[in-house]
Amino acid sequence: MNHPVTPGLTDAWKAVGVARPHESAELHVLGQATYTDDIPELQGTLHAALGLSAKAHAKIVALDLAPVLACPGVVAAYTASDIPGTNDCGPIIHDDPIFAMGEVLYVGQPIFIVVADTHTNARRAARKAVVTYEELPAILTPQQAKAANSYVLPPLRLQRGDAQAAFERAPHVVKGELFVGGQEQFYLEGQIAYAIPKENRGMLVQCSTQHPSEMQHVVAHALGLHSHHVTVECRRMGGGFGGKESQSALWAAAAAIAATLTKRPVKLRADRDDDMMVTGKRHCFWYEYEVGHDDAGRIVAARVDMTLRAGYSADLSGPVATRAVCHFDNAYYLSDVDIRAGCGKTNTQSNTAFRGFGGPQGAIAIEYVIDEIARNLGRDALDIRRLNFYGKTERNETPYRQVIVDNVIDELTTELERSSEYRARRAAIAAFNATSPVLKKGLALTPVKFGIAFNVTHLNQAGALVHVYVDGSVLVNHGGTEMGQGINTKVMQVVAHELGVDMRHVRASATDTSKVANTSATAASTGADLNGKAAQDAARQIRERLAAYAVKQYGGDVAAVRFLADVVHVNGHEVPFPELVQKAYLARVQLWSDGFYATPGLHWDPKTMTGHPFSYYAYGAAVSEVVVDTLTGEWKLLRADALYDAGASLNPAIDIGQVEGAFIQGTGWLTTEQLWWNDAGKLMTHAPSTYKIPGISDCPEDFRVRLFDNRNVEDSIHRSKATGEPPLLLPFSVFFAIRDAISSVGEHRVNPPLNAPATSEEILKAIDAVQAASAHSGTVPDSSDARQAAAPENSGTVPEKSA
């Protein structure tokens, strides 16, 4: 049926750029969302557990599994010698065995897998193995790794200009050390894989992973098969944060090996303790820095040597170190630099991706230095930050030679400074501190510039499938994975907008390697950018076919056909979308399409550490106010203001939620989430009882998050910008507000030697150091006085505790 054109029709209708609830929000609230462990188990399913090393570094002299096999319900136990294919799950370098063979390299390394009738029986049996070890020397900290020249990869170095000559000209030099700890991803859903043997050597693996294609490759290699034998599927994850990018491979491969050997479905689900003992975390960093500046506080030379705790294997440490090097500048122009990064090999878990992927670790070092410069000069740190900001037409090239064309950091900071009443609150805090001997307040404003793209160029590609069914409903499948961040919601919005239909007519299906092949990980904040573009490409092809058919039926110009609000407008007619689809099907018009996208203009030379690695930059800034109890080291975040550049946001509700979540997660990293290994190399903070993630009481009562009014200069999906990782740098402001409060103890004349996480113990150490340095010097003490007062406990090493 034809309908007359609606008078005054406009383009006001849109499916993108509007707040929409998460596509699974109702399922989440009702407890009906299906995660891997919720999938109904097939008859005959077995359950597996891993047998783990008890030594940080040792030879395996003997392994007796007889006690394991004698346990109730046990069906079998397998070691490296039973693997049908390759004993390796390393994502880049093949240095990461699925099961240790002959030697163990950290406490918690898997040695074997046991399969039993129940999860509990498998776990109990796994602890019965008798392992005889010959212990070897272990390296546990990045400082030890550097001293021993122990690296998993050759060190990186980026140079621009002549840093040495610039230092010789510099009127002032700030020099010191800093230690910033790692962070456990602590996804709510732990690592899990369910492997189901199929006919003709096929294997279906349903697992919680950010990278189904890599799981497909690892499983195929472990089983000695081709990729087409293996299908990996993931409907959703209960969080990932990078911890399921490469390290879900061990679990997928181990489950698939056991399923192949037993010829029965096998589920391998890690309990929280095992998960934390086995898997890698955010890399901790140890910095040795030296920065020259002029009398005004402008940086003229910078040298930094960053040593990462990589763990026992390379994993993703190389790319993490590269991103750290490329984010040392943060929002500041650095003319002459010498930036080094070494991936220290240690006998600890192999560290891996974590939200920010080295970017936060790179950027916090320069923020620490600027904080010191400001205090040394008696200036507000915000003024020193502004002085060093990148310019728009000059001082706008990064150390790695990418010219910045989208710089909005100055106007964004100006807006936040005004809306947060920064200057007035700074004065009010000074007045408060002057009359408060025990409780001290601190305030800090920190900026963010974060590059968006994989820094390995070929990974910046994505594919998608869009099906339009005869009833007008739409199904989209893409290579991205949903981990709660809303990628499916955004991609559904993009497809709905392209086809001019309401969101309720669009559905996203599980990520599946048999549907979209050779996908990149959902990481580097590129999920919506890449997969949104690919899905848009697929939907556009269908729309163009439908438009061409509509013109054949109703006349007019293809370019004038419009798809809006479930109606197709063509040559004066309004045709309901389902009606046009039905007619097009009868006319044998193809109603499905694949789409593909590759980010243009990217290139990187790893030898010279130069190029154009990022498609664009996301910007942001935050102001945090804290109060610190100088007697106990306790503190509280009173208020946080965050302004974030999401470009032309695809979904403001989801993006604001991402900023809020990243802010709290980053606050945890920098303040409470302390990883601690004992002298034997065992991770002692391996459960919620000993590892402190932020709770609702740690959120500020006054939490103001807004999106900056901007539009991406690059042709991103609807000119939006990523919101996954960059906001995690916003809580730098919390860390430096704490440092500001501590500094007030010495009347802001001493740079507090504060390492991260800034636990109550670290805060007390820094307060003691400031007080000691102030007492030691009758005039104006500098940071070296405080460093000396804090040594040796606070010299950038892992804080010592008792077990």
Side-chain angles (χ1 to χ4, degrees):
M1 178 182 295
N2 298 338
H3 304 275
V5 175
T6 302
L9 180 71
T10 70
D11 290 325
W13 181 90
K14 62 180 181 178
V16 297
V18 292
R20 300 282 189 191
H22 191 286
E23 50 92 21
S24 295
E26 185 175 312
L27 300 178
H28 292 156
V29 172
L30 296 176
Q32 296 174 353
T34 300
Y35 296 89
T36 302
D37 200 32
D38 301 318
I39 297 170
E41 294 169 8
L42 297 175
Q43 184 176 356
T45 293
L46 297 172
H47 298 265
L50 300 176
L52 309 179
S53 165
K55 302 296 181 181
H57 190 199
K59 291 181 180 179
I60 300 175
V61 177
L63 173 62
D64 183 4
L65 295 181
V68 175
L69 295 170
C71 287
V74 170
V75 174
Y78 302 111
T79 64
S81 61
D82 298 305
I83 296 175
T86 305
N87 182 25
D88 176 70
C89 57
I92 301 174
I93 308 297
H94 301 301
D95 62 348
D96 203 342
I98 298 167
F99 301 135
M101 191 172 185
E103 182 182 25
V104 292
L105 296 170
Y106 72 100
V107 176
Q109 183 172 10
I111 301 173
F112 64 91
I113 186 170
V114 56
V115 186
D117 57 347
T118 68
H119 173 74
T120 300
N121 281 343
R123 286 199 77 216
R124 286 176 174 165
R127 284 151 175 76
K128 297 295 184 179
V130 178
V131 188
T132 304
Y133 298 100
E134 179 186 323
E135 290 198 59
L136 300 170
I139 294 173
L140 301 178
T141 69
Q143 294 93 323
Q144 292 170 354
K146 183 176 182 182
N149 198 31
S150 173
Y151 298 103
V152 295
L153 295 165
L156 303 175
R157 188 176 187 183
L158 169 61
Q159 298 181 86
R160 176 166 74 172
D162 187 340
Q164 184 56 42
F167 270 112
E168 292 171 0
R169 297 191 302 269
H172 308 279
V173 174
V174 172
K175 187 175 183 179
E177 298 176 3
L178 172 67
F179 180 86
V180 174
Q183 184 180 24
E184 163 65 33
Q185 288 86 358
F186 218 98
Y187 23 67
L188 290 180
E189 176 203 31
Q191 298 280 3
I192 182 170
Y194 186 27
I196 304 168
K198 296 292 184 178
E199 66 177 16
N200 195 22
R201 297 186 295 166
M203 181 63 67
L204 169 63
V205 180
Q206 295 171 309
C207 65
S208 187
T209 181
Q210 295 172 238
H211 201 344
S213 285
E214 184 171 303
M215 300 309 103
Q216 179 188 34
H217 300 156
V218 170
V219 169
H221 291 154
L223 300 183
L225 301 174
H226 293 295
S227 291
H228 68 215
H229 289 105
V230 179
T231 299
V232 176
E233 179 184 295
C234 178
R235 173 60 185 92
R236 61 171 60 83
M237 287 166 277
F241 308 115
K244 296 175 181 175
E245 180 175 347
S246 63
Q247 299 218 348
S248 49
L250 166 67
W251 312 90
I257 290 165
T260 295
L261 296 174
T262 60
K263 297 181 172 57
R264 292 170 65 177
V266 172
K267 179 185 285 188
L268 175 59
R269 171 170 60 84
D271 281 62
R272 181 67 63 182
D273 291 73
D274 289 348
D275 192 321
M276 291 184 71
M277 289 295 290
V278 174
T279 61
K281 297 81 173 67
R282 181 189 296 282
H283 295 71
C284 74
F285 273 55
W286 176 50
Y287 311 83
E288 299 166 282
Y289 61 84
E290 184 177 9
V291 174
H293 63 91
D294 63 18
D295 293 336
R298 175 169 285 185
I299 295 172
V300 297
R303 181 183 293 125
V304 65
D305 193 343
M306 302 182 277
T307 305
L308 297 65
R309 187 192 338 241
Y312 75 97
S313 69
D315 196 82
L316 298 173
S317 294
V320 167
T322 300
R323 186 169 281 269
V325 167
C326 291
H327 282 76
F328 174 69
D329 60 325
N330 195 19
Y332 313 111
Y333 176 74
L334 305 176
S335 59
D336 297 83
V337 297
D338 184 355
I339 307 170
R340 307 184 193 203
C343 301
K345 184 173 183 177
T346 56
N347 295 109
T348 55
Q349 292 83 352
S350 187
N351 285 326
T352 189
F354 195 129
R355 196 175 194 172
F357 203 78
Q361 295 99 309
I364 196 170
I366 196 68
E367 293 296 341
Y368 196 87
V369 170
I370 284 181
D371 196 55
E372 298 207 331
I373 293 173
R375 202 167 285 109
N376 291 345
L377 296 177
R379 300 277 304 281
D380 190 302
L382 176 56
D383 295 331
I384 303 301
R385 290 185 166 98
R386 283 190 172 283
L387 181 67
N388 286 284
F389 275 166
Y390 276 106
K392 290 186 181 295
T393 58
E394 57 182 7
R395 292 171 53 87
N396 65 337
E397 185 181 73
T398 66
Y400 47 91
R401 302 295 184 183
Q402 178 164 341
V403 175
I404 300 173
V405 298
D406 60 353
N407 186 5
V408 296
I409 193 62
D410 187 66
E411 44 266 60
L412 186 151
T413 302
T414 297
E415 182 177 328
L416 180 64
E417 181 184 349
R418 176 191 54 76
S419 65
S420 67
E421 303 172 299
Y422 175 83
R423 300 292 176 177
R425 290 166 64 196
R426 168 64 74 194
I429 286 172
F432 173 88
N433 288 341
T435 59
S436 178
V438 174
L439 298 181
K440 298 292 186 180
K441 289 186 178 181
L443 186 73
L445 187 157
T446 57
V448 173
K449 174 185 70 67
F450 195 94
I452 303 298
F454 286 99
N455 49 10
V456 177
T457 302
H458 74 264
L459 297 178
N460 295 281
Q461 59 175 297
L465 291 173
V466 174
H467 294 178
V468 176
Y469 294 100
V470 177
D471 64 354
S473 63
V474 182
L475 181 71
V476 58
N477 185 275
H478 58 88
T481 52
E482 175 63 57
M483 61 193 92
Q485 85 280 34
I487 186 174
N488 283 344
T489 309
K490 287 185 173 182
V491 171
M492 288 164 61
Q493 286 181 266
V494 168
V495 170
H497 186 84
E498 202 67 22
L499 294 176
V501 300
D502 190 88
M503 273 273 287
R504 69 181 186 277
H505 302 310
V506 182
R507 182 183 179 94
S509 59
T511 310
D512 186 331
T513 57
S514 67
K515 295 179 179 178
V516 178
N518 308 322
T519 59
S520 297
T522 305
S525 303
T526 62
D529 281 9
L530 295 175
N531 294 284
K533 276 284 196 179
Q536 182 187 51
D537 178 44
R540 181 184 293 117
Q541 295 176 54
I542 299 171
R543 189 196 70 210
E544 290 172 350
R545 292 177 198 140
L546 288 172
Y549 170 75
V551 167
K552 285 184 180 179
Q553 297 298 90
Y554 302 103
D557 183 2
V558 170
V561 178
R562 294 155 74 196
F563 293 71
L564 297 168
D566 297 324
V567 175
V568 181
H569 304 266
V570 50
N571 197 29
H573 300 273
E574 290 185 351
V575 185
F577 183 79
E579 181 180 318
L580 183 67
V581 166
Q582 291 166 8
K583 291 180 177 180
Y585 166 74
L586 294 174
R588 297 186 293 180
V589 174
Q590 182 179 335
L591 296 174
W592 64 270
S593 185
D594 63 310
F596 181 77
Y597 178 73
T599 310
L602 302 179
H603 57 89
W604 177 250
D605 185 342
K607 294 181 179 178
T608 63
M609 298 285 287
T610 59
H612 193 288
F614 304 120
S615 175
Y616 61 86
Y617 295 96
Y619 299 88
V623 177
S624 292
E625 180 178 347
V626 304
V627 60
V628 173
D629 186 329
T630 59
L631 297 182
T632 66
E634 295 176 282
W635 65 278
K636 186 174 181 61
L637 177 58
L638 301 175
R639 174 179 165 183
D641 298 59
L643 183 59
Y644 182 73
D645 168 28
S649 171
L650 288 174
N651 188 320
I654 283 179
D655 285 342
I656 287 176
Q658 284 291 290
V659 175
E660 291 172 341
F663 191 96
I664 299 303
Q665 188 173 53
T667 299
W669 165 48
L670 294 172
T671 60
T672 65
E673 298 185 40
Q674 185 179 33
L675 294 166
W676 175 62
W677 288 261
N678 66 15
D679 292 340
K682 181 179 180 181
L683 178 67
M684 303 304 290
T685 50
H686 56 81
S689 59
T690 52
Y691 185 81
K692 177 64 174 72
I693 64 171
I696 190 66
S697 61
D698 297 303
C699 301
E701 287 187 18
D702 193 347
F703 196 13
R704 311 182 189 191
V705 175
R706 294 185 298 112
L707 299 181
F708 183 62
D709 186 14
N710 193 24
R711 182 176 169 82
N712 199 343
V713 299
E714 297 297 327
D715 183 26
S716 59
I717 184 68
H718 290 287
R719 301 286 176 168
S720 63
K721 288 189 177 184
T723 54
E725 294 173 301
L728 193 131
L729 284 70
L730 294 173
F732 284 1
S733 56
V734 176
F735 179 82
F736 290 107
I738 292 173
R739 199 178 189 215
D740 182 56
I742 297 170
S743 173
S744 69
V745 172
E747 299 180 0
H748 300 294
R749 297 180 303 162
V750 179
N751 280 309
L754 185 66
N755 292 321
T759 60
S760 294
E761 294 90 342
E762 282 293 322
I763 289 171
L764 285 177
K765 287 180 184 178
I767 290 171
D768 289 344
V770 169
Q771 290 174 334
S774 298
H776 174 72
S777 174
T779 54
V780 180
D782 62 20
S783 58
S784 61
D785 294 317
R787 286 284 175 194
Q788 185 64 34
E793 294 89 353
N794 201 7
S795 59
T797 58
V798 179
E800 294 183 3
K801 291 184 179 179
S802 63

